Amino acid sequence: MYSATGMLMLLTAALAILAPSALGLDRAEFPPGFLFGAATSAYQIEGAYLEDGKGLNNWDVFTHTRPGDITDGRNGDVTDDHYHRYMEDVEIMRDLGVNSYRFSISWARILPRGHSGGVNSAGIAFYDRLIAALLQKGIEPFVTLHHFDQPQELETQYGSWLGTGIREEFDYYADVCFRAFGDRVKFWTTFNEPNVFAKDSYMLGTYPPNHCSSPFGTCNSGNSYREPYVAAHNIIMSHAAVVDNYKRNYQAKQGGSIGIVIEMKFYESLTNNTEDILAAQRAMSFEIHWFLDPLFFGEYPKEMREMLSSNLPKFSLAEKRLLQNKVDFIGINHYTAIYAKDCMLSPCDLNTYEGNALVLAIGERDGVRIGKPTALDGFYDVPEGMEKIIKYVDKRYENVPIYVTENGYSQHSSNGLEDLVNDVGRVNYMHGYLSSVASAVRRGANVRGYFVWSLMDNFEWAHGFTVRFGLYHVDFNTQVRTQKMSAKWYHDFLMGSRPVDALQTLRADY
Ligand code: FCB
């Protein structure tokens, strides 16, 4: 008979045997100076939503006024309480062995009411402390200016990204950040996944300010065919103005670089039929080229212009001039590959993320899934998709430096603690995806970093706390952080040791 502890050890050992070895995956094959990190964002981890002068942001208001739109009805008021526990979290990163940390700044903590309300010095002080703690441990800060949250005041004043007034607001906010932190922060990104939040906010209505029109959803206001593109236009021009400011006024003296982060699935055509092949291309265009073509070539992609006609704004000459400032790098957030099915010739449900491209994204071909499913619908474990997407970006955008700014695996929170901590599925996923990054590097792609989403379990937007992406498990009642098997695996990989040895020891012990 085994004691409870004995049983747990047995289970751990059994699960460990199933985890892949790191043989064939070696840190040494990545270029020198490669950033290996973990990522988070302000609203998802900080909590302290009303402390030290912070203003309300769009997510504070959305989660409080529309709790029914969040799977578990919860919010980011406290979440990981990182605002108070950042020292412990930096210590965890040191133990993990990462050399960089991707986090975002809460705009409403710096400028509680936007430009007009003035700078909140306590907000500046918080990020000063965080940056100092990171640097002290040899961890490079990799900072996102906007990760889905903005002061609610700007929602009210301009309709946030629908109004051109927000461009100057964002420019001002970025300037405050460059001035305050730019002597120590060498990696900046303007926006995280504008292609996702423009659609979730203004097409599907699942993110604040909950705008959409039929058939995409039922919202009080919105136009799903037009607003995502108006918002995107303002986002692209806000980005361009900030890059221009950084390059003219800060880059030479601060010596940093600036980029943007785009979410990129890899769309495989469902069949070999021409219409599905074209559908996959359209889906890539509506997801990736939408933002990156303007930044690289000064124009929206042809397919979008043809299909959206007057719903797609045009760049004025002055805007095109501003777009001539080039990004220093592209951040790729990649989680999954998915099949693309044409909806032009054979009509399908179009109230989806790919609806405007007349594409349906599906996870199965002839009853066979594209990869192992994860806890989030539509997210599969398809490691070769990583190399494909890197090659795609590398080719289309002129061998631009690339950082994989997010990649990760979700678990259902309802699974028991042992299962959550013995996350063999995540170890498998990371092993596969990191090997795929390594392969892209070997073939000459200019990849310079990789960040796991996420350092720790956190508030997953409309899914609330029902799914977990962390390398560290968080008990949201006690705030205790517990290392998962994947954290141990990542640590061993980063240390250059062979995680397989540790796993075999466990097996031998048993
Ligand atoms: C990305 C977001 C990030 C997190 C992961 C799972 O779309 O950038 O905040 O929610 O997905």
Side-chain angles (χ1 to χ4, degrees):
M1 285 301 280
Y2 295 103
S3 65
T5 330
M7 284 300 283
L8 183 57
M9 280 177 63
L10 189 106
L11 181 69
T12 309
L15 288 168
I17 293 163
L18 297 175
S21 81
L23 288 173
L25 174 63
D26 192 337
R27 180 175 187 166
E29 58 180 308
F30 291 85
F34 197 89
L35 297 185
F36 278 107
T40 63
S41 88
Y43 186 75
Q44 294 178 277
I45 66 162
E46 283 182 4
Y49 85 115
L50 271 183
E51 255 170 82
D52 293 345
K54 175 180 163 294
L56 288 177
N57 64 38
N58 54 332
W59 275 90
D60 293 321
V61 172
F62 182 63
T63 52
H64 279 258
T65 54
R66 302 183 59 91
D69 288 357
I70 310 296
T71 310
D72 57 6
R74 292 168 70 189
N75 55 52
D77 291 4
V78 180
T79 173
D80 291 306
D81 194 30
H82 170 77
Y83 187 75
H84 298 115
R85 293 167 198 266
Y86 69 95
M87 284 302 268
E88 181 187 345
D89 294 335
V90 172
E91 198 55 47
I92 282 175
M93 290 180 232
R94 195 192 61 91
D95 291 349
L96 188 58
V98 291
N99 62 9
S100 53
Y101 171 49
R102 175 173 179 250
F103 64 96
S104 77
I105 295 180
S106 156
W107 187 345
R109 214 180 270 296
I110 301 290
L111 294 163
R113 301 172 62 95
H115 190 172
S116 65
V119 175
N120 174 31
S121 56
I124 301 276
F126 168 67
Y127 294 106
D128 268 337
R129 292 196 299 274
L130 172 62
I131 291 166
L134 289 167
L135 291 175
Q136 214 237 330
K137 310 265 182 224
I139 301 171
E140 191 76 49
F142 195 105
V143 178
T144 308
L145 289 167
H146 182 277
H147 195 126
F148 300 174
D149 59 307
Q150 63 255 345
Q152 179 63 20
E153 180 77 21
L154 305 181
E155 190 61 59
T156 318
Q157 262 185 51
Y158 309 108
S160 63
W161 300 103
L162 295 178
T164 50
I166 192 124
R167 300 183 189 183
E168 275 175 32
E169 291 280 348
F170 188 66
D171 199 16
Y172 178 73
Y173 160 58
D175 191 74
V176 170
C177 292
F178 296 150
R179 218 172 326 130
F181 313 120
D183 55 337
R184 287 151 295 151
V185 171
K186 302 302 166 207
F187 296 93
W188 293 100
T189 61
T190 51
F191 289 92
N192 176 72
E193 298 189 350
N195 53 339
V196 167
F197 82 79
K199 287 192 183 181
D200 278 315
S201 301
Y202 303 105
M203 186 169 108
L204 302 172
T206 47
Y207 285 7
N210 178 236
H211 281 208
C212 65
S213 59
S214 172
F216 290 88
T218 318
C219 299
N220 289 334
S221 58
N223 178 342
S224 299
Y225 294 104
R226 183 170 174 74
E227 287 190 353
Y229 307 103
V230 172
H233 198 75
N234 285 320
I235 294 166
I236 290 168
M237 292 320 303
S238 302
H239 160 91
V242 165
V243 170
D244 180 59
N245 179 26
Y246 187 70
K247 299 226 151 173
R248 273 190 298 116
N249 301 317
Y250 293 97
Q251 191 160 46
K253 60 175 187 273
Q254 297 185 341
S257 54
I258 189 160
I260 189 167
V261 171
I262 305 293
E263 186 263 344
M264 305 186 194
K265 291 183 276 302
F266 189 82
Y267 291 94
E268 297 273 4
S269 85
L270 178 66
T271 67
N272 285 333
N273 300 343
T274 311
E275 61 264 26
D276 285 337
I277 294 173
L278 291 175
Q281 288 171 8
R282 273 202 312 282
M284 296 295 255
S285 188
F286 274 66
E287 174 143 303
I288 303 170
H289 312 168
W290 178 21
F291 280 84
L292 293 189
D293 277 17
L295 303 189
F296 282 83
F297 316 130
E299 277 297 358
Y300 288 115
K302 199 165 92 292
E303 304 88 328
M304 293 188 78
R305 172 72 57 218
E306 282 166 12
M307 289 176 67
L308 301 171
S309 57
S310 65
N311 283 331
L312 189 67
K314 292 208 165 80
F315 292 107
S316 68
L317 281 180
E319 288 177 337
K320 283 193 175 176
R321 226 171 292 127
L322 209 50
L323 285 171
Q324 282 169 3
N325 288 295
K326 296 292 176 254
V327 281
D328 297 314
F329 63 88
I330 294 298
I332 297 182
N333 286 1
H334 177 73
Y335 290 83
T336 195
I338 198 91
Y339 294 124
K341 175 184 174 335
D342 170 68
C343 300
M344 278 184 174
L345 293 183
S346 40
C348 29
D349 260 355
L350 286 177
N351 54 346
T352 63
Y353 189 82
E354 288 81 7
N356 281 352
L358 299 179
V359 173
L360 186 67
I362 42 179
E364 282 186 15
R365 173 194 277 160
D366 300 330
V368 181
R369 288 185 181 126
I370 192 166
K372 282 205 189 110
T374 65
L376 276 188
D377 275 357
F379 285 58
Y380 299 88
D381 183 350
V382 192
E384 61 276 15
M386 177 64 93
E387 185 175 355
K388 289 183 182 170
I389 198 72
I390 291 173
K391 273 164 112 179
Y392 187 87
V393 171
D394 183 65
K395 183 158 176 238
R396 188 172 178 95
Y397 301 110
E398 307 154 356
N399 201 227
V400 62
I402 290 172
Y403 291 86
V404 175
T405 34
E406 283 181 30
N407 172 242
Y409 175 94
S410 58
Q411 302 162 288
H412 290 286
S413 281
S414 52
N415 297 0
L417 179 63
E418 275 124 48
D419 183 79
L420 291 171
V421 172
N422 290 301
D423 54 344
V424 184
R426 181 172 290 108
V427 172
N428 271 306
Y429 180 98
M430 286 177 65
H431 184 275
Y433 277 78
L434 263 171
S435 304
S436 198
V437 175
S439 173
V441 169
R442 276 197 298 275
R443 285 165 209 259
N446 197 353
V447 189
R448 302 187 174 183
Y450 170 89
F451 294 83
V452 180
W453 183 273
S454 175
L455 176 66
M456 55 191 166
D457 297 336
N458 57 49
F459 178 80
E460 180 48 42
W461 309 115
H463 299 280
F465 294 98
T466 59
V467 292
R468 293 173 178 263
F469 272 93
L471 293 171
Y472 285 79
H473 176 272
V474 177
D475 178 326
F476 294 103
N477 295 317
T478 61
Q479 291 298 343
V480 169
R481 280 90 162 116
T482 305
Q483 187 192 51
K484 298 186 190 175
M485 187 196 279
S486 55
K488 169 86 174 72
W489 181 90
Y490 195 35
H491 168 268
D492 289 350
F493 161 74
L494 293 175
M495 293 302 120
S497 63
R498 306 280 185 165
V500 68
D501 298 342
L503 298 176
Q504 272 165 359
T505 315
L506 248 176
R507 188 177 176 181
D509 281 355
Y510 167 65

